[in-house]
Amino acid sequence: MGVSESGVSGPRRRLVMGNWKMHGNLAGNAALLAGLRAGVDSVGNCEVAVCSPFPYLAQVQSILQGSAISWGAQDLSVHAQGAYTGEVSGAMLGDFACRWVLAGHSERRALHGETDQLVADKAAAALAAGLVPVVCVGETLDEQEAGRTDEVIARQLAPVLALGAQAVGQIVLAYEPVWAIGTGRTATPDQAQEVHAGIRALLSALGVPGVRVLYGGSVKAANAASLFAMPDIDGALVGGASLVAEEFLRIAAA
Ligand code: 13P
Protein backbone atom coordinates (compact mmCIF):
# COMPACT_ATOMS: atom_id res chain seq x y z
CA MET A 1 0.00 0.00 0.00
CA GLY A 2 1.07 3.62 -0.15
CA VAL A 3 3.11 3.90 -3.28
CA SER A 4 2.20 1.39 -5.94
CA GLU A 5 4.66 -0.69 -7.93
CA SER A 6 4.53 1.75 -10.79
CA GLY A 7 5.63 4.54 -8.52
CA VAL A 8 2.37 6.41 -8.86
CA SER A 9 1.33 7.33 -5.38
CA GLY A 10 -2.14 6.65 -4.09
CA PRO A 11 -3.05 4.49 -1.15
CA ARG A 12 -5.03 1.39 -1.90
CA ARG A 13 -7.13 0.76 1.17
CA ARG A 14 -7.58 -2.93 1.86
CA LEU A 15 -11.02 -4.30 1.06
CA VAL A 16 -12.38 -7.58 2.36
CA MET A 17 -15.68 -8.54 0.77
CA GLY A 18 -17.90 -11.48 1.53
CA ASN A 19 -19.73 -13.25 -1.26
CA TRP A 20 -22.49 -15.21 0.40
CA LYS A 21 -23.36 -16.93 -2.91
CA MET A 22 -26.72 -18.75 -2.58
CA HIS A 23 -26.55 -19.19 1.18
CA GLY A 24 -28.51 -17.70 4.03
CA ASN A 25 -31.98 -17.26 5.49
CA LEU A 26 -33.56 -14.46 7.49
CA ALA A 27 -32.69 -15.85 10.91
CA GLY A 28 -29.17 -16.91 10.02
CA ASN A 29 -28.42 -13.62 8.25
CA ALA A 30 -29.63 -11.62 11.26
CA ALA A 31 -27.18 -13.45 13.50
CA LEU A 32 -24.30 -13.17 11.03
CA LEU A 33 -24.89 -9.46 10.38
CA ALA A 34 -25.22 -8.68 14.09
CA GLY A 35 -21.91 -10.43 14.66
CA LEU A 36 -20.24 -8.45 11.90
CA ARG A 37 -21.66 -5.17 13.15
CA ALA A 38 -20.55 -5.87 16.68
CA GLY A 39 -17.00 -6.78 15.67
CA VAL A 40 -16.16 -4.56 12.73
CA ASP A 41 -14.63 -1.77 14.80
CA SER A 42 -11.82 -4.10 15.84
CA VAL A 43 -10.53 -4.86 12.33
CA GLY A 44 -8.44 -1.74 11.88
CA ASN A 45 -8.06 0.12 8.61
CA CYS A 46 -9.79 -2.39 6.37
CA GLU A 47 -12.96 -1.76 4.39
CA VAL A 48 -15.48 -4.56 5.00
CA ALA A 49 -18.39 -5.43 2.73
CA VAL A 50 -20.88 -8.22 2.11
CA CYS A 51 -22.68 -9.26 -1.08
CA SER A 52 -25.93 -11.02 -0.30
CA PRO A 53 -28.58 -12.71 -2.44
CA PHE A 54 -31.10 -10.20 -3.84
CA PRO A 55 -34.03 -11.04 -1.51
CA TYR A 56 -31.99 -10.20 1.57
CA LEU A 57 -30.72 -6.80 0.50
CA ALA A 58 -33.44 -5.00 2.45
CA GLN A 59 -32.54 -6.97 5.56
CA VAL A 60 -28.82 -6.33 5.06
CA GLN A 61 -29.52 -2.61 4.60
CA SER A 62 -31.67 -2.37 7.70
CA ILE A 63 -29.10 -4.13 9.90
CA LEU A 64 -25.91 -2.58 8.50
CA GLN A 65 -26.97 0.99 7.85
CA GLY A 66 -25.02 3.36 10.03
CA SER A 67 -22.23 0.80 10.47
CA ALA A 68 -18.78 0.75 8.88
CA ILE A 69 -19.81 -2.21 6.71
CA SER A 70 -21.06 -1.64 3.18
CA TRP A 71 -23.03 -4.09 1.07
CA GLY A 72 -23.91 -5.11 -2.43
CA ALA A 73 -25.30 -7.78 -4.72
CA GLN A 74 -23.81 -10.65 -6.68
CA ASP A 75 -25.04 -9.84 -10.16
CA LEU A 76 -27.05 -7.29 -12.13
CA SER A 77 -28.72 -6.92 -15.51
CA VAL A 78 -27.07 -5.04 -18.36
CA HIS A 79 -30.47 -3.44 -18.97
CA ALA A 80 -31.82 -0.42 -17.14
CA GLN A 81 -35.43 -1.67 -17.16
CA GLY A 82 -37.93 -3.51 -19.30
CA ALA A 83 -39.28 -6.93 -20.19
CA TYR A 84 -36.42 -8.99 -18.72
CA THR A 85 -38.14 -11.48 -16.46
CA GLY A 86 -36.07 -12.48 -13.48
CA GLU A 87 -33.41 -9.82 -13.92
CA VAL A 88 -32.49 -7.07 -11.46
CA SER A 89 -31.25 -3.67 -12.56
CA GLY A 90 -28.50 -1.56 -11.09
CA ALA A 91 -31.04 1.11 -10.16
CA MET A 92 -32.97 -1.46 -8.12
CA LEU A 93 -29.79 -2.29 -6.23
CA GLY A 94 -29.30 1.42 -5.67
CA ASP A 95 -32.74 1.54 -4.04
CA PHE A 96 -31.30 -0.68 -1.31
CA ALA A 97 -28.22 1.52 -0.94
CA CYS A 98 -25.90 -1.08 -2.45
CA ARG A 99 -22.40 0.21 -3.00
CA TRP A 100 -21.03 -2.88 -4.76
CA VAL A 101 -22.07 -5.48 -7.28
CA LEU A 102 -20.09 -8.47 -8.46
CA ALA A 103 -19.77 -8.88 -12.22
CA GLY A 104 -18.57 -12.00 -13.96
CA HIS A 105 -18.04 -14.29 -11.01
CA SER A 106 -16.71 -17.58 -12.39
CA GLU A 107 -19.93 -19.32 -11.34
CA ARG A 108 -21.88 -16.89 -13.52
CA ARG A 109 -19.47 -17.40 -16.40
CA ALA A 110 -19.50 -21.21 -16.10
CA LEU A 111 -23.13 -21.89 -15.13
CA HIS A 112 -24.89 -19.04 -16.92
CA GLY A 113 -22.76 -18.61 -20.02
CA GLU A 114 -21.64 -15.07 -19.23
CA THR A 115 -19.14 -13.94 -21.85
CA ASP A 116 -16.24 -11.55 -21.39
CA GLN A 117 -18.18 -8.88 -23.28
CA LEU A 118 -21.35 -9.37 -21.23
CA VAL A 119 -19.31 -9.02 -18.04
CA ALA A 120 -17.86 -5.74 -19.30
CA ASP A 121 -21.36 -4.59 -20.23
CA LYS A 122 -22.49 -5.42 -16.69
CA ALA A 123 -19.58 -3.42 -15.28
CA ALA A 124 -20.65 -0.46 -17.43
CA ALA A 125 -24.28 -0.87 -16.33
CA ALA A 126 -23.18 -0.89 -12.69
CA LEU A 127 -21.17 2.31 -13.12
CA ALA A 128 -24.10 3.95 -14.91
CA ALA A 129 -26.25 3.13 -11.87
CA GLY A 130 -23.72 4.59 -9.45
CA LEU A 131 -22.49 1.21 -8.18
CA VAL A 132 -18.94 -0.06 -7.98
CA PRO A 133 -18.58 -3.23 -10.02
CA VAL A 134 -16.25 -5.88 -8.68
CA VAL A 135 -15.19 -7.61 -11.87
CA CYS A 136 -14.03 -11.18 -11.34
CA VAL A 137 -11.52 -12.97 -13.54
CA GLY A 138 -9.69 -16.26 -13.21
CA GLU A 139 -8.50 -19.32 -15.06
CA THR A 140 -9.69 -22.93 -14.76
CA LEU A 141 -7.45 -25.77 -13.65
CA ASP A 142 -7.01 -26.97 -17.25
CA GLU A 143 -6.01 -23.47 -18.35
CA GLN A 144 -3.58 -23.14 -15.46
CA GLU A 145 -1.98 -26.50 -16.15
CA ALA A 146 -1.61 -25.56 -19.81
CA GLY A 147 0.30 -22.43 -18.79
CA ARG A 148 -2.44 -20.19 -20.17
CA THR A 149 -3.26 -18.15 -17.05
CA ASP A 150 -1.93 -14.80 -18.30
CA GLU A 151 -3.58 -15.21 -21.69
CA VAL A 152 -6.96 -16.07 -20.13
CA ILE A 153 -6.86 -13.14 -17.71
CA ALA A 154 -5.86 -10.75 -20.50
CA ARG A 155 -8.71 -12.03 -22.69
CA GLN A 156 -11.26 -11.70 -19.86
CA LEU A 157 -10.07 -8.20 -19.02
CA ALA A 158 -9.83 -6.88 -22.59
CA PRO A 159 -13.44 -5.69 -22.96
CA VAL A 160 -13.36 -4.30 -19.43
CA LEU A 161 -10.19 -2.30 -20.09
CA ALA A 162 -11.81 -1.13 -23.33
CA LEU A 163 -14.29 0.81 -21.18
CA GLY A 164 -11.42 3.24 -20.74
CA ALA A 165 -9.36 4.69 -17.92
CA GLN A 166 -12.15 6.88 -16.58
CA ALA A 167 -14.42 3.86 -16.04
CA VAL A 168 -11.78 1.35 -15.02
CA GLY A 169 -10.43 3.81 -12.48
CA GLN A 170 -13.70 3.44 -10.57
CA ILE A 171 -13.95 -0.34 -10.45
CA VAL A 172 -12.51 -3.12 -8.33
CA LEU A 173 -11.04 -6.29 -9.83
CA ALA A 174 -10.93 -9.71 -8.24
CA TYR A 175 -8.61 -12.50 -9.30
CA GLU A 176 -10.24 -15.80 -8.42
CA PRO A 177 -8.55 -18.86 -9.88
CA VAL A 178 -11.42 -21.27 -10.51
CA TRP A 179 -9.38 -24.19 -9.16
CA ALA A 180 -9.09 -22.44 -5.80
CA ILE A 181 -12.78 -21.65 -5.30
CA GLY A 182 -14.48 -23.77 -2.66
CA THR A 183 -11.77 -26.40 -2.99
CA GLY A 184 -9.64 -25.56 0.02
CA ARG A 185 -6.77 -25.22 -2.45
CA THR A 186 -5.57 -21.61 -2.22
CA ALA A 187 -3.09 -20.14 -4.64
CA THR A 188 0.18 -19.62 -2.80
CA PRO A 189 0.89 -15.97 -2.06
CA ASP A 190 3.64 -16.01 -4.69
CA GLN A 191 1.38 -17.62 -7.28
CA ALA A 192 -1.34 -15.05 -6.64
CA GLN A 193 1.12 -12.14 -6.55
CA GLU A 194 2.48 -13.12 -9.95
CA VAL A 195 -0.98 -12.89 -11.52
CA HIS A 196 -1.84 -9.72 -9.59
CA ALA A 197 1.38 -8.10 -10.81
CA GLY A 198 0.37 -8.95 -14.38
CA ILE A 199 -3.05 -7.37 -13.82
CA ARG A 200 -1.35 -4.34 -12.24
CA ALA A 201 0.79 -3.98 -15.35
CA LEU A 202 -2.34 -3.89 -17.54
CA LEU A 203 -3.88 -1.29 -15.21
CA SER A 204 -0.70 0.77 -15.22
CA ALA A 205 -0.60 0.70 -19.01
CA LEU A 206 -4.10 2.16 -18.97
CA GLY A 207 -2.98 4.82 -16.50
CA VAL A 208 -4.96 3.51 -13.53
CA PRO A 209 -2.45 1.63 -11.35
CA GLY A 210 -4.39 2.43 -8.18
CA VAL A 211 -7.33 0.13 -8.96
CA ARG A 212 -7.77 -2.42 -6.19
CA VAL A 213 -7.23 -6.06 -7.10
CA LEU A 214 -8.68 -8.55 -4.63
CA TYR A 215 -7.74 -12.21 -4.39
CA GLY A 216 -10.43 -14.88 -4.01
CA GLY A 217 -10.38 -18.64 -3.61
CA SER A 218 -10.40 -20.50 -0.28
CA VAL A 219 -9.30 -17.42 1.69
CA LYS A 220 -9.43 -18.09 5.43
CA ALA A 221 -8.11 -16.40 8.55
CA ALA A 222 -5.20 -18.82 8.48
CA ASN A 223 -3.93 -17.77 5.03
CA ALA A 224 -5.12 -14.17 4.75
CA ALA A 225 -2.10 -12.45 6.28
CA SER A 226 0.38 -14.10 3.93
CA LEU A 227 -1.76 -13.16 0.91
CA PHE A 228 -2.19 -9.57 2.12
CA ALA A 229 1.56 -9.25 2.58
CA MET A 230 1.94 -9.32 -1.22
CA PRO A 231 2.38 -5.87 -2.78
CA ASP A 232 -0.34 -6.23 -5.42
CA ILE A 233 -2.99 -8.02 -3.36
CA ASP A 234 -5.35 -5.36 -2.03
CA GLY A 235 -7.79 -7.55 -0.14
CA ALA A 236 -9.98 -10.58 -0.59
CA LEU A 237 -13.26 -11.77 -2.02
CA VAL A 238 -14.33 -14.44 0.44
CA GLY A 239 -16.91 -17.17 -0.10
CA GLY A 240 -17.36 -19.88 2.52
CA ALA A 241 -15.43 -18.12 5.26
CA SER A 242 -17.66 -15.04 4.98
CA LEU A 243 -20.59 -17.01 6.38
CA VAL A 244 -19.06 -17.15 9.86
CA ALA A 245 -18.77 -13.70 11.47
CA GLU A 246 -15.73 -14.40 13.60
CA GLU A 247 -13.75 -16.02 10.78
CA PHE A 248 -14.63 -13.26 8.31
CA LEU A 249 -13.63 -10.53 10.76
CA ARG A 250 -10.35 -12.34 11.44
CA ILE A 251 -9.64 -12.20 7.71
CA ALA A 252 -10.39 -8.47 7.69
CA ALA A 253 -8.10 -7.98 10.68
CA ALA A 254 -5.25 -10.04 9.18
P1 13P B 1 -14.44 -19.63 -1.38
O1 13P B 1 -13.84 -18.59 -0.48
O2 13P B 1 -15.55 -20.40 -0.75
O3 13P B 1 -13.39 -20.49 -2.01
O4 13P B 1 -15.14 -18.82 -2.59
C1 13P B 1 -14.42 -17.87 -3.27
C2 13P B 1 -15.33 -17.10 -4.13
O5 13P B 1 -15.80 -17.58 -5.13
C3 13P B 1 -15.69 -15.73 -3.71
O6 13P B 1 -16.35 -15.04 -4.73
Side-chain angles (χ1 to χ4, degrees):
M1 296 233 217
V3 176
S4 76
E5 291 293 82
S6 69
V8 176
S9 84
R12 302 194 303 270
R13 188 173 176 218
R14 185 173 303 154
L15 170 61
V16 168
M17 179 175 287
N19 172 11
W20 290 2
K21 306 193 180 184
M22 200 174 74
H23 293 290
N25 54 60
L26 286 172
N29 301 345
L32 171 57
L33 293 164
L36 295 179
R37 221 191 135 120
V40 70
D41 290 340
S42 64
V43 304
N45 187 27
C46 175
E47 203 170 348
V48 178
V50 295
C51 292
S52 82
F54 294 131
Y56 299 126
L57 287 171
Q59 180 192 26
V60 172
Q61 178 184 19
S62 87
I63 297 178
L64 293 184
Q65 64 194 349
S67 80
I69 307 170
S70 53
W71 58 92
Q74 301 168 16
D75 185 32
L76 83 166
S77 175
V78 293
H79 304 290
Q81 64 170 339
Y84 303 104
T85 301
E87 297 216 34
V88 174
S89 71
M92 292 171 184
L93 301 180
D95 272 347
F96 295 92
C98 286
R99 172 160 164 71
W100 316 96
V101 63
L102 305 184
H105 189 279
S106 63
E107 289 149 18
R108 302 286 322 164
R109 293 178 189 260
L111 304 173
H112 301 273
E114 294 197 2
T115 63
D116 301 333
Q117 185 59 56
L118 182 81
V119 172
D121 292 345
K122 288 189 171 190
L127 289 171
L131 305 165
V132 178
V134 179
V135 176
C136 307
V137 296
E139 82 286 7
T140 63
L141 183 59
D142 283 353
E143 290 163 342
Q144 194 229 19
E145 287 178 341
R148 294 181 49 217
T149 299
D150 292 350
E151 166 206 329
V152 169
I153 305 295
R155 189 208 71 216
Q156 291 174 331
L157 280 179
V160 178
L161 298 176
L163 296 174
Q166 217 264 329
V168 178
Q170 301 175 63
I171 77 177
V172 170
L173 296 179
Y175 168 56
E176 298 203 307
V178 177
W179 47 268
I181 294 178
T183 59
R185 207 183 135 191
T186 327
T188 66
D190 288 332
Q191 253 177 331
Q193 167 57 26
E194 194 180 328
V195 177
H196 280 238
I199 295 172
R200 185 80 55 209
L202 294 172
L203 292 168
S204 297
L206 191 65
V208 286
V211 169
R212 289 184 286 187
V213 186
L214 312 182
Y215 170 79
S218 298
V219 175
K220 310 177 207 51
N223 58 27
S226 58
L227 289 161
F228 296 162
M230 295 291 133
D232 289 300
I233 297 180
D234 303 318
L237 185 55
V238 184
S242 74
L243 301 173
V244 181
E246 196 188 319
E247 176 79 4
F248 186 55
L249 290 171
R250 279 170 60 211
I251 293 170

